[in-house]
Amino acid sequence: MRIVVLAGGIGGARFLRGLKLAAPDADITVIGNTGDDIHLFGLKVCPDLDTVMYTLGGGINEEQGWGRAEETFHVKEELAAYGVGPEWFGLGDRDFATHIVRTQMLNAGFPLSAVTEALCDRWQPGVRLIPMSDDRVETHVAVTLPDSDSDSDGGSGSGERKAIHFQEYWVRLRASVPAEAIVPVGAEQAKPAPGVLEAVAAADVILFPPSNPVVSIGTILAVPGIREAIADAGVPVVGLSPIVGDAPVRGMADKVLAAVGVEATAAAVAEHYGSGLLDGWLVDTVDADAVERVEAAGIRCRAVPLMMTDAEATARMAQEALALAEEVRGA
Ligand code: GDP
Ligand code: CA
């Protein structure tokens, strides 16, 4: 069975670990979000690709969900001693090596997809990991910064409206101000990376893990051609809700959902994807009352436990998603 999964970072990576357990013989292709990518200290950092690679390759910091296990931060400390930031983005020493290798290969002319494949040679994630695009796409967030946090001369109380990099919004500001708009800069001109459309066309099942619907899966779908290929693939497309009990399980997805006018509920996220894209949707058992509304939108829906508390629980979620896909196929 050929499974294609669109993935962000933590939610995508943890789900993939369960999927590999649930379908050990499946051929899994992961299309990774690169809208979170950022250049720091002259290095290209791809947080979501690395989270998937480290999680499936056994190198992730388990408690944190991102970054390397057994990490140290000497380079960061030395940079800070020179007054070189940003101090808000935690790059550890082990992690730095990945970004150095990546940047070196990119500078030598290799596309990001080839670089990712080379990095995965070491990590052996057990899936084929492809960035959504080899072209640069960077998610920006339009915000109005309070006067104290902006360069404006202050006093007016109106703040300054500006677009900041998604990482600055997410990591530095912790989404503490409303996101007024989310813009995947460069997406319109980006082309799907080699292998992306081919994998979608060859898939037996396409899964949306409980990744962020706006800045993870939404960004992947913003690359022209990907959404269309998925809608036209003619195979079941099944998603799992990252929203449980009307709140994100982890993180601040509600803030970016608000920016696109979607309420933070399992049903609203399904409607946001829409029946043109999604055939099936899993909500958590606490959201069982959402099933009717999702089905009314033309999307087959089941309520099952959706907390990825451990690999086994996550494998059961993946099993449910595959079962729902078969149900859709048989319908
Ligand atoms: P990021 O790029 O690291 O933010 O990760 P993703 O976009 O892949 O996933 C983030 C989403 O995962 C968040 O919106 C969370 O609500 C969701 N999430 C995290 N853990 C769980 C879980 O155990 N169950 C469910 N259903 N969603 C989860
Ligand atoms: Ca991310």
Side-chain angles (χ1 to χ4, degrees):
M1 180 169 44
R2 283 170 300 222
I3 307 175
V4 167
V5 181
L6 270 49
I10 301 178
R14 290 194 171 159
F15 175 75
L16 283 161
R17 192 150 59 180
L19 179 64
K20 281 175 63 187
L21 275 177
D25 300 325
D27 167 351
I28 303 171
T29 298
V30 179
I31 301 172
N33 171 42
T34 57
D36 292 15
D37 293 7
I38 184 166
H39 287 80
L40 294 169
F41 317 110
L43 301 175
K44 168 92 162 172
V45 180
C46 301
D48 285 359
L49 295 180
D50 289 349
T51 296
V52 170
M53 186 172 78
Y54 294 156
T55 301
L56 300 183
I60 200 79
N61 177 326
E62 288 291 343
E63 299 75 54
Q64 203 169 246
W66 53 272
R68 288 293 318 277
E70 293 162 39
E71 189 58 288
T72 52
F73 290 88
H74 300 299
V75 174
K76 185 174 191 257
E77 285 157 25
E78 291 294 319
L79 287 165
Y82 286 110
V84 174
E87 78 300 324
W88 48 265
F89 202 87
L91 288 186
D93 301 327
R94 293 178 188 279
D95 201 18
F96 258 112
T98 303
H99 312 315
I100 290 169
V101 174
R102 173 184 293 123
T103 307
Q104 209 168 29
M105 285 190 72
L106 288 170
N107 290 344
F110 291 97
L112 183 63
S113 50
V115 175
T116 304
E117 199 180 329
L119 295 172
C120 285
D121 263 351
R122 170 185 173 194
W123 290 101
Q124 296 293 315
V127 300
R128 178 159 179 237
L129 176 62
I130 318 180
M132 65 191 198
S133 178
D134 280 334
D135 302 320
R136 184 166 168 173
V137 177
E138 259 181 33
T139 303
H140 282 69
V141 182
V143 292
T144 301
L145 296 179
D147 282 344
S148 59
D149 205 32
S150 73
D151 298 324
S152 69
D153 32 23
S156 67
S158 60
E160 184 199 1
R161 188 159 200 264
K162 60 193 259 188
I164 58 176
H165 191 288
F166 171 72
Q167 296 296 353
E168 189 176 355
Y169 181 70
W170 207 248
V171 181
R172 184 171 83 85
L173 297 178
R174 304 295 306 159
S176 56
V177 294
E180 293 160 18
I182 311 285
V183 187
V185 178
E188 271 176 40
Q189 295 80 37
K191 288 181 297 296
V196 167
L197 297 182
E198 293 80 353
V200 169
D204 298 307
V205 178
I206 299 169
L207 299 178
F208 293 0
S211 281
N212 190 304
V214 182
V215 292
S216 292
I217 295 180
T219 310
I220 300 171
L221 294 171
V223 176
I226 297 185
R227 175 188 292 271
E228 298 75 4
I230 293 171
D232 295 346
V235 296
V237 180
V238 170
L240 299 93
S241 179
I243 305 293
V244 171
D246 300 344
V249 174
R250 198 190 149 114
M252 298 84 61
D254 48 326
K255 296 294 173 53
V256 288
L257 281 166
V260 296
V262 177
E263 67 184 21
T265 65
V269 172
E271 289 168 354
H272 173 62
Y273 286 129
S275 61
L277 198 59
L278 268 191
D279 301 303
W281 186 243
L282 294 178
V283 301
D284 189 84
T285 43
V286 304
D287 297 312
D289 57 358
V291 170
E292 206 176 326
R293 176 171 154 194
V294 175
E295 296 219 312
I299 299 163
R300 200 172 278 252
C301 187
R302 297 286 173 270
V304 300
L306 286 190
M307 298 301 283
M308 299 190 282
T309 43
D310 55 38
E312 289 67 35
T314 313
R316 282 192 291 276
M317 286 166 54
Q319 243 146 24
E320 294 285 0
L322 294 173
L324 184 55
E326 287 318 307
E327 216 183 297
V328 167
R329 200 192 307 279

